[in-house]
Amino acid sequence: MGAQQVRDGFEGLYGTAPEGVWAAPGRVNLIGEHTDYNDGFVMPFALPHTAVAAVSRRTDGVLRLHSADVEGGVVELRVDELTPGADRNWTAYPSGVVWALCEAGHAVTGADVHLTSTVPSGAGLSSSAALEIVVALALNDLFSLGLRGWQLARLCQRAENVYVGAPVGIMDQTASACCEAGHALFLDTRDLSQRQIPFDLAAEGMRLLVVDTQVEHSHSEGEYGKRRAGCEKGADLLGVDALRDVPYADLDAALARLGDEEEVRRLVRHIVTENERVERVVSLLESGETRAIGPVLVEGHASLRDDFRISCPELDLVVDTALAHGALGARMTGGGFGGSAIVLAEEPDVDAITKAVTEAFATAGFTTPRVFEAVPSPGAHRLH
């Protein structure tokens, strides 16, 4: 939905034009899965799919929220009554951002908000982070808060962790706020240092496909939290602040020290090897060896499937089928237990791979997947 349509929708709801319209993208993570809450490395890039918000300030402490994508009218809340855990609806994401801003000492005195999004929900493409960041950016501009992208990301992560109750890391919000078109974002989640790595596949005759399996996942469910707790246990047993501090060269010795803690050993092995994979992909891209990242993606999927154990039959089928039909690389992306996979392919092979994956899903009796090209796109910005 374009900026003008969102402006018109706002005016129809609230009887006046909005003060502005903003957009924030979903993201695909190229490599670096579940490393973010272990102080590790990640490498997302922004999608062209965005959450769009038309917003105006209020001075009476009232927050009015509406989504064009959800049935129902305007939801009216009071800023001073926002309470973590009290809202289990979609409104928890934007209202959580207002709560986090106020809790951090920023004077947000209310707002009228009208939202819509083209980021697929439940596909592991950070639809919730896009919703949070677009509201945060709008309020940052309207209330002249002076916050930078990484600061907005931190506040939005807190909103999702505390207000919504989902134990997510910092990657999704940072990607939505800080990515640049034509680049992947190499992010150190410990100190939030960033490097924009050129990633223009089309110029090299390649494409990156996203295959949304249509299997929805929920980060608020227990399995994600179990993995995070297991990683924290591993760090504690190894005497480090976070698994980021276990050197790849010392992995075997670290695993031996964990003894019969088999589940923890698997989690530790994934995180340590995944951080090394991120660094390898950065090195390959910077040296112009883009096609060589394909096998690294495949290694990452095997680790997520076998060590972290968060894949599912649909995700495995995408990866296996794509590789069997000429893909350079493929892996699941996102939190797991459903969601999407990515496929790196030569441009001439895209149609055949897409057809093969779709037919494989039909044969297996799975829901038809949604397949689209992922083009590295801009981070959050003002549209109007």
Side-chain angles (χ1 to χ4, degrees):
M1 191 177 289
Q4 188 58 51
Q5 287 175 283
V6 179
R7 283 179 62 86
D8 292 345
F10 182 100
E11 192 162 353
L13 286 166
Y14 301 120
T16 184
E19 292 185 78
V21 181
W22 290 260
R27 66 96 189 98
V28 160
N29 193 22
L30 183 63
I31 193 76
E33 220 63 82
H34 288 266
T35 49
D36 59 347
Y37 55 80
N38 289 284
D39 283 1
F41 305 126
V42 294
M43 201 172 183
F45 63 88
L47 288 167
H49 306 71
T50 59
V52 180
V55 185
S56 286
R57 287 168 289 187
R58 296 181 67 96
T59 59
D60 58 359
V62 171
L63 175 64
R64 294 197 291 182
L65 303 169
H66 183 268
S67 171
D69 309 318
V70 180
E71 287 189 16
V74 174
V75 177
E76 184 169 314
L77 305 165
R78 287 205 57 83
V79 172
D80 59 3
E81 295 176 356
L82 298 176
T83 305
D87 189 348
R88 294 299 177 188
N89 300 308
W90 71 269
T91 48
Y93 296 100
S95 63
V97 169
V98 175
W99 169 83
L101 286 167
C102 291
E103 190 204 33
H106 301 291
V108 177
T109 56
D112 288 337
V113 181
H114 174 54
L115 291 152
T116 188
S117 179
T118 58
V119 185
S121 178
L125 303 174
S126 299
S127 58
S128 59
L131 200 61
E132 293 157 358
I133 289 292
V134 75
V135 171
L137 181 62
L139 297 175
N140 184 52
D141 287 356
L142 291 174
F143 288 95
S144 301
L145 303 180
L147 298 170
R148 298 173 64 187
W150 66 268
Q151 294 171 305
L152 294 177
R154 277 282 194 220
L155 285 164
C156 289
Q157 181 199 16
R158 179 158 177 76
E160 192 153 353
N161 287 170
V162 179
Y163 196 89
V164 178
V168 299
I170 191 64
M171 174 180 67
D172 296 351
Q173 291 82 2
T174 306
S176 187
C178 301
C179 279
E180 295 181 4
H183 293 75
L185 179 68
F186 177 38
L187 174 66
D188 182 333
T189 65
R190 169 164 284 169
D191 61 13
L192 295 189
S193 60
Q194 304 175 15
R195 274 163 56 199
Q196 300 287 346
I197 309 297
F199 191 55
D200 185 358
L201 293 175
E204 299 187 59
M206 287 174 283
R207 296 287 187 268
L208 190 79
L209 302 178
V210 174
V211 182
D212 175 4
T213 64
Q214 309 280 349
V215 178
E216 291 201 17
H217 69 144
S218 173
H219 277 173
S220 298
E221 298 298 331
E223 291 300 321
Y224 185 99
K226 287 179 185 176
R227 302 305 188 280
R228 184 163 186 162
C231 289
E232 291 168 356
K233 180 179 180 180
D236 185 55
L237 290 172
L238 293 170
V240 294
D241 290 336
L243 293 183
R244 146 74 174 275
D245 298 312
V246 180
Y248 178 71
D250 297 344
L251 176 58
D252 288 344
L255 295 177
R257 287 169 57 200
L258 292 171
D260 59 359
E261 292 277 358
E262 181 55 36
E263 183 175 352
V264 175
R265 282 164 54 91
R266 290 198 313 269
L267 299 178
V268 169
R269 183 164 52 225
H270 167 73
I271 297 301
V272 176
T273 58
E274 187 79 346
N275 279 322
E276 188 273 340
R277 281 186 285 272
V278 177
E279 294 185 292
R280 223 185 323 157
V281 167
V282 171
S283 178
L284 289 168
L285 291 178
E286 290 189 326
S287 62
E289 300 176 74
T290 306
R291 284 172 174 79
I293 73 172
V296 189
L297 303 184
V298 179
E299 287 177 32
H301 183 76
S303 182
L304 290 163
R305 180 191 65 210
D306 301 335
D307 278 342
F308 229 65
R309 300 192 177 183
I310 57 170
S311 190
C312 66
E314 290 86 350
L315 289 167
D316 293 340
L317 184 60
V318 174
V319 172
D320 293 344
T321 304
L323 293 173
H325 287 81
L328 297 167
R331 73 171 192 91
M332 60 155 285
T333 187
F337 312 107
S340 299
I342 55 173
V343 177
L344 179 67
E346 302 283 3
E347 185 176 3
D349 296 331
V350 165
D351 289 346
I353 290 170
T354 301
K355 182 172 183 287
V357 168
T358 303
E359 289 178 349
F361 268 55
T363 300
F366 296 151
T367 301
T368 303
R370 179 186 180 205
V371 184
F372 58 91
E373 183 181 353
V375 179
S377 299
H381 58 284
R382 187 167 185 162
L383 293 173
H384 196 283

